[in-house]
Amino acid sequence: MKGEYIAKEMENEKLKQYLIEFVEETLNECDLFSRIYGKDFVRQRLEQNLKQVCTGIYSETSNGWYDFFEKSITLCSETKKAKPVTVAQIKRSEEKKQLILHESVHAVFARTKDECDERGIALGTGMVEEYHNETELGRALNEGLTEWICEKAGYKSQTYENEVNAIKTQKGIRRNVPWKQGAFLVENL
């Protein structure tokens, strides 16, 4: 990616365990989310869709991302010379907690390889689909729904405000959204 600087990318198992516990607790404490998806949904999906958490990368354009193919979350350092993100930094920062929640929601709803193969797509969440010819559909809708779920769980960001507002206007979306996301959305707009 343009603007990336890799000091030393490293897998961080301690950070991965913290992330899983934080995300599971946060989404399960969200009554709306846990009522629709149940208490085991988050852990089951993260066990399927999150193999590693990486740190040690600086990006001028992103604070982090979920990689569908690698099944990894990357958390970027704040400057080129900064040390990799730590659990202690995340615990002190609402912004970093929101970031790991946002990227983890992508991981929770990522389709498995078998689910993608059934639909003839390269990757997707049900809201965004990337095809084998490298075209995609639904990116803004996916980011809006992801951020809206984060807001409902108590972590709001201004990053995708327009996309969240678009989600709030889509009351007829229910039939197109998998894994009860449509029920979650329509019931609570």
Side-chain angles (χ1 to χ4, degrees), residues 10 58 83 146 148:
M10 63 183 83
Y58 167 73
K83 292 181 179 177
T146 299
W148 183 80

Side-chain angles (χ1 to χ4, degrees), residues 3-188:
E4 284 181 14
Y5 169 79
I6 300 176
K8 181 180 177 189
E9 182 176 3
M10 63 183 83
E11 185 175 344
N12 191 323
E13 188 62 32
K14 184 177 178 182
L15 192 55
K16 178 184 172 187
Q17 290 311 312
Y18 172 78
L19 181 147
I20 290 170
E21 290 169 13
F22 169 77
V23 171
E24 183 177 29
E25 180 180 318
T26 300
L27 291 176
N28 284 341
E29 285 180 359
C30 177
D31 180 58
L32 176 60
F33 191 92
S34 63
R35 185 168 27 109
I36 291 170
Y37 295 101
K39 294 285 185 185
D40 297 326
F41 182 75
V42 173
R43 183 162 292 273
Q44 289 171 352
R45 294 302 291 188
L46 287 176
E47 285 174 2
Q48 287 180 308
N49 294 326
L50 183 62
K51 301 299 180 212
Q52 63 184 356
V53 174
C54 297
T55 57
I57 294 177
Y58 167 73
S59 172
E60 293 175 355
T61 58
S62 180
N63 293 323
W65 57 83
Y66 174 69
D67 185 311
F68 285 86
F69 294 110
E70 297 293 325
K71 295 185 180 283
S72 67
I73 291 177
T74 298
L75 302 173
C76 298
S77 300
E78 293 178 5
T79 67
K80 287 182 183 179
K81 294 183 180 187
K83 292 181 179 177
V85 177
T86 66
V87 171
Q89 286 175 312
I90 293 170
K91 286 181 176 180
R92 291 189 308 264
S93 170
E94 295 298 300
E95 184 178 313
K96 289 195 185 319
K97 288 177 188 174
Q98 190 281 332
L99 172 65
I100 66 171
L101 182 61
H102 178 99
E103 299 310 331
S104 295
V105 169
H106 287 312
V108 166
F109 290 112
R111 293 191 190 276
T112 65
K113 181 177 180 342
D114 289 342
E115 292 166 339
C116 289
D117 289 346
E118 287 172 16
R119 290 165 179 79
I121 60 174
L123 62 87
T125 66
M127 296 301 290
V128 65
E129 309 254 303
E130 186 173 303
Y131 303 95
H132 294 287
N133 66 2
E134 298 185 11
T135 60
E136 70 177 22
L137 181 64
R139 172 78 52 201
L141 198 54
N142 182 60
E143 293 298 345
L145 183 59
T146 299
E147 195 57 40
W148 183 80
I149 290 170
C150 292
E151 281 185 25
K152 289 293 185 182
Y155 289 89
K156 183 176 179 167
S157 168
Q158 302 302 316
T159 305
Y160 293 107
E161 190 170 350
N162 290 335
E163 289 85 348
V164 171
N165 288 337
I167 288 292
K168 290 176 180 177
T169 65
Q170 299 298 316
K171 294 190 183 229
I173 203 168
R174 181 181 212 164
R175 70 186 181 284
N176 297 321
V177 186
W179 296 317
K180 302 179 189 173
Q181 286 176 327
F184 183 81
L185 179 64
V186 173
E187 178 182 337
N188 298 286

